Amino acid sequence: MNYVFHLLIYFEIYAIVALSLNLLIGYGGLLQVAHAAYYGIGAYTAALLWTKLGWGFFPGLAVGALAAGVLSLLVSLPAWRFKGDYFVMISIAVQTLIYAVLYNWTELTNGPFGISGISRPGIGGYTFVTTSSVVVLYGVLAVGLGLVMAFLKWSPFGRALQAMRDDDLAARSVGLPVDLLKLQAFALASAMVGIAGGLYAAYVSYIDPTSFSLNESILMLSMVIIGGTGNVRGPLTGAAVLILLPEALRFLYLPDAVAANVRLLAYGLLLVLMMHLRPQGLAGTYRYQ
Amino acid sequence: MSNYAVMSQTEPVAPRGAAVDQTEAVPAKAHLRAEGLAIAFGGQHVLRGVDLDLTGGQIALLRGPNGCGKTTLLNILSGFLKPDAGTATLAFNGTRVNVLRETPNRLARLGIARLWQDIRLFPTMTVLENVLAASPHVLGINPAVALFALGRVKRQERAFREQALRWLDLLGMADRAASSGDKLSVGQSKRVAIARLLQTGAQVLLLDEPLAGLDRESAEKLVHDLNRLADTTHKAMLIVEHNHDAITSVCDIRLTLEDGRLHREELEGKQWAC
């Protein structure tokens, strides 16, 4: 049963990740490839506050989200000028830069050795020690953030993002503050994935930079593209598929050295098949162009 | 004496960030005035000192051969292009705006919006959403306000929705409000795009070939509607159009762009809508 709970917790964390990335890609048409970096900023900020300063669970999570939101300026400001492939290059550069900082700023992050001894989530005097209690806590947070995302989609903010995604020039010409919208979308999405990073750190109790590399960003991107964008159920579907796929491959009993490569092959194959057969994803409404 | 004459030409223009300046002697109708606009691309002079004067309620036809700079002029006046030289100001309702200092989105809010030659509806949105997207000063565009001031946002959205439906009704598109933006004919798309312009609340409309691709009947209907709009809403319109015969009858002014200069003719015998 613990195994199922473990998968559920991962699904809840990645549901938040995929929903936040969907705000950028699905609603705003902004192809972000540095999402894992902001996931890492949230995780590291919260973990440092918990382990070094003894902060409580929620304050640490909130400051982690804030740090990720503020540092999203690294991608949102270039997004004013760069579009399409050029923007993707910028976001890869930001991903690499933040990863390098996490890896090399050893005084703060402990470099490749990471941060260990992160305590489990807690509220007041209660600590969520059992896996099932973490499932409940993370489930509540994921549903809450999912509702916020769904609500924003139907709000005037979501409508403005959609207009910007459909036609940047036309959006500007009818008075939409496109540059401000980009700042807001990146800040919101980064803060949200920062929360997911904090949840991840608190659950696994140990983090190191390898969990926040470009590969992780590509996994997040795959979730959104395979599941689909433009609505809430698409990213959730993608998160479920890409969490369950490696678990399904486990039952093939492949040697460890082969399993990782087979998993990457399966991701690649899925992406190619989706591009050809269902470009809007399994459950999405918007076809990214 | 023209309305604009009461304004001093040496009146300081508001700086960026505070581009709207409260002044006393400004006309009740919007007044767009440009002087000496010049621009060159790669050494080729497209505009060589263009002067323009347009008041609310007037319809001006801007004509000229392909490539003479008509769309370039619209791009400058809508903030998408900065000229090499010249000035442009918009005066309306006690405010004066330096057009050349503003970004396109701020200009749309301050009073100048444009219709694109290639229409540019938002294809994944419905007709009504297309028009709603252009609503001015939307509270819910701020995500924090959208989340935490739901009542105010909803009330404002209701008002915007009613206004958008009125514009669509005026242009004969209310029955297509729920249709997707990419499921319309060229003529219908143009009507929706014009409704979207009107929703911005802009007082000066720059229309780039609104009749292109329309059959004769649709073109006549659209011209009639534009004329009615100019009369009833006192909006100024600068229309780039090759179908001169269809539009001249409702124009007050004919502007011909030739060799980078603008020649102005006042037209007699405009057909009034009311």
Side-chain angles (χ1 to χ4, degrees):
Chain A
M1 200 61 192
N2 256 358
Y3 173 65
V4 174
F5 285 152
H6 169 77
L7 286 184
L8 265 176
I9 290 168
Y10 265 83
F11 171 70
E12 287 161 353
I13 292 171
Y14 277 103
I16 298 172
V17 169
L19 285 171
S20 65
L21 191 53
N22 182 47
L23 178 72
L24 294 173
I25 298 177
Y27 301 170
L30 302 158
L31 193 62
Q32 159 77 308
V33 195
H35 220 46
Y38 291 98
Y39 183 56
I41 286 168
Y44 267 91
T45 307
L48 286 169
L49 291 172
W50 291 329
T51 55
K52 306 270 183 199
L53 301 179
W55 281 34
F57 176 69
F58 280 111
L61 212 56
V63 174
L66 187 68
V70 170
L71 285 172
S72 71
L73 288 169
L74 286 173
V75 272
S76 59
L77 288 177
W80 286 3
R81 293 187 69 88
F82 296 96
K83 292 189 179 71
D85 300 345
Y86 297 102
F87 176 70
V88 170
M89 296 304 289
I90 294 282
S91 71
I92 290 175
V94 170
Q95 163 69 51
T96 310
L97 178 81
I98 293 174
Y99 178 78
V101 170
L102 295 180
Y103 203 89
N104 293 301
W105 195 356
T106 47
E107 294 83 1
L108 185 72
T109 64
N110 206 23
F113 303 109
I115 300 172
S116 56
I118 302 166
S119 51
R120 278 287 176 108
I123 302 173
Y126 180 76
T127 305
F128 293 80
V129 180
T130 61
T131 320
S132 57
S133 64
V134 177
V135 169
V136 174
L137 174 68
Y138 284 16
V140 169
L141 289 172
V143 169
L145 289 170
L147 287 175
V148 168
M149 282 296 123
F151 182 78
L152 283 179
K153 175 182 165 45
W154 296 109
S155 72
F157 173 68
R159 186 176 64 214
L161 280 185
Q162 199 178 338
M164 176 184 87
R165 175 194 77 187
D166 279 5
D167 194 324
D168 187 304
L169 274 185
R172 287 175 200 270
S173 71
V174 296
L176 291 175
V178 167
D179 293 340
L180 178 64
L181 285 170
K182 286 181 181 174
L183 285 186
Q184 290 171 330
F186 274 110
L188 269 174
S190 302
M192 196 165 152
V193 81
I195 291 174
L199 296 179
Y200 170 75
Y203 176 61
V204 298
S205 74
Y206 167 76
I207 52 170
D208 69 40
T210 55
S211 302
F212 313 109
S213 63
L214 181 61
N215 280 350
E216 185 71 9
S217 275
I218 291 170
L219 172 72
M220 293 170 177
L221 199 60
S222 306
M223 284 179 179
V224 173
I225 289 173
I226 290 169
T229 59
N231 58 16
V232 171
R233 65 179 184 278
L236 294 182
T237 308
V241 168
L242 287 193
I243 285 169
L244 292 177
L245 182 69
E247 302 305 319
L249 292 176
R250 233 182 253 267
F251 294 104
L252 295 177
Y253 299 107
L254 297 168
D256 284 351
V258 179
N261 293 330
V262 169
R263 196 162 63 231
L264 285 176
L265 268 175
Y267 289 165
L269 191 65
L270 254 181
L271 279 174
V272 172
L273 284 175
M274 292 306 298
M275 278 188 280
H276 278 283
L277 303 175
R278 204 172 159 79
Q280 74 274 33
L282 290 171
T285 51
Y286 172 64
R287 179 179 173 176
Y288 183 83
Q289 289 168 359
Chain B
M1 187 167 72
S2 77
N3 284 337
Y4 194 78
V6 296
M7 291 173 60
S8 161
Q9 289 187 24
T10 56
E11 199 174 347
V13 171
R16 178 173 267 286
V20 180
D21 179 30
Q22 296 292 325
T23 57
E24 287 177 11
V26 288
K29 291 178 179 178
H31 195 116
L32 175 65
R33 184 179 177 122
E35 282 183 330
L37 292 178
I39 192 165
F41 297 112
Q44 186 185 347
H45 293 274
V46 178
L47 302 180
R48 303 165 184 262
V50 164
D51 298 333
L52 179 72
D53 198 312
L54 195 60
T55 307
Q58 285 184 329
I59 300 181
L61 166 65
L62 174 59
R63 63 179 192 169
N66 287 334
C68 71
K70 301 185 294 293
T71 298
T72 299
L73 180 57
L74 293 200
N75 284 340
I76 289 173
L77 294 175
S78 55
F80 283 96
L81 201 58
K82 299 295 174 204
D84 299 331
T87 61
T89 53
L90 173 71
F92 175 64
N93 206 20
T95 63
R96 188 169 183 221
V97 174
N98 182 340
V99 171
L100 303 183
R101 281 190 182 178
E102 295 297 344
T103 56
N105 59 299
R106 272 181 59 83
L107 271 181
R109 291 286 162 257
L110 293 168
I112 302 178
R114 74 175 288 176
L115 175 76
W116 297 85
Q117 191 177 345
D118 50 356
I119 311 175
R120 289 180 173 269
L121 288 187
F122 304 123
T124 65
M125 297 166 75
T126 66
V127 164
L128 181 61
E129 286 168 343
N130 259 277
V131 181
L132 279 173
S135 307
H137 312 297
V138 179
L139 293 171
I141 204 167
N142 180 332
V145 177
L147 286 170
F148 300 114
L150 192 57
R152 282 166 60 209
V153 171
K154 271 190 169 174
R155 273 196 299 280
Q156 193 195 39
E157 280 292 296
R158 262 199 300 276
F160 282 144
R161 194 182 169 86
E162 282 166 18
Q163 179 63 66
L165 285 169
R166 274 200 293 276
W167 291 130
L168 286 171
D169 189 41
L170 188 76
L171 290 154
M173 289 299 296
D175 59 334
R176 298 298 301 272
S179 302
S180 176
D182 62 349
K183 300 283 187 290
L184 303 174
S185 70
V186 174
Q188 289 170 330
S189 300
K190 291 208 166 157
R191 285 171 181 284
V192 175
I194 292 170
R196 193 171 67 175
L197 276 197
L198 295 169
Q199 183 79 0
T200 62
Q203 289 302 308
V204 178
L205 307 183
L206 310 174
L207 309 177
D208 201 351
E209 300 200 24
L211 307 184
L214 298 190
D215 59 46
R216 190 176 160 179
E217 197 181 329
S218 304
E220 279 174 1
K221 171 85 171 67
L222 187 55
V223 167
H224 174 77
D225 288 343
L226 291 176
N227 193 24
R228 192 157 47 119
L229 274 171
D231 288 343
T232 55
T233 63
H234 298 298
K235 292 184 190 296
M237 297 185 195
L238 177 60
I239 303 177
V240 171
E241 185 53 62
H242 289 290
N243 187 353
H244 305 157
D245 294 340
I247 203 126
T248 304
S249 62
V250 298
C251 290
D252 306 276
I253 304 160
R254 182 160 57 205
L255 303 164
T256 307
L257 193 55
E258 221 167 16
D259 298 326
R261 295 189 193 284
L262 205 56
H263 306 283
R264 179 186 175 110
E265 295 169 74
E266 303 286 338
L267 296 175
E268 299 291 332
K270 169 180 168 166
Q271 293 172 5
W272 296 98
C274 334

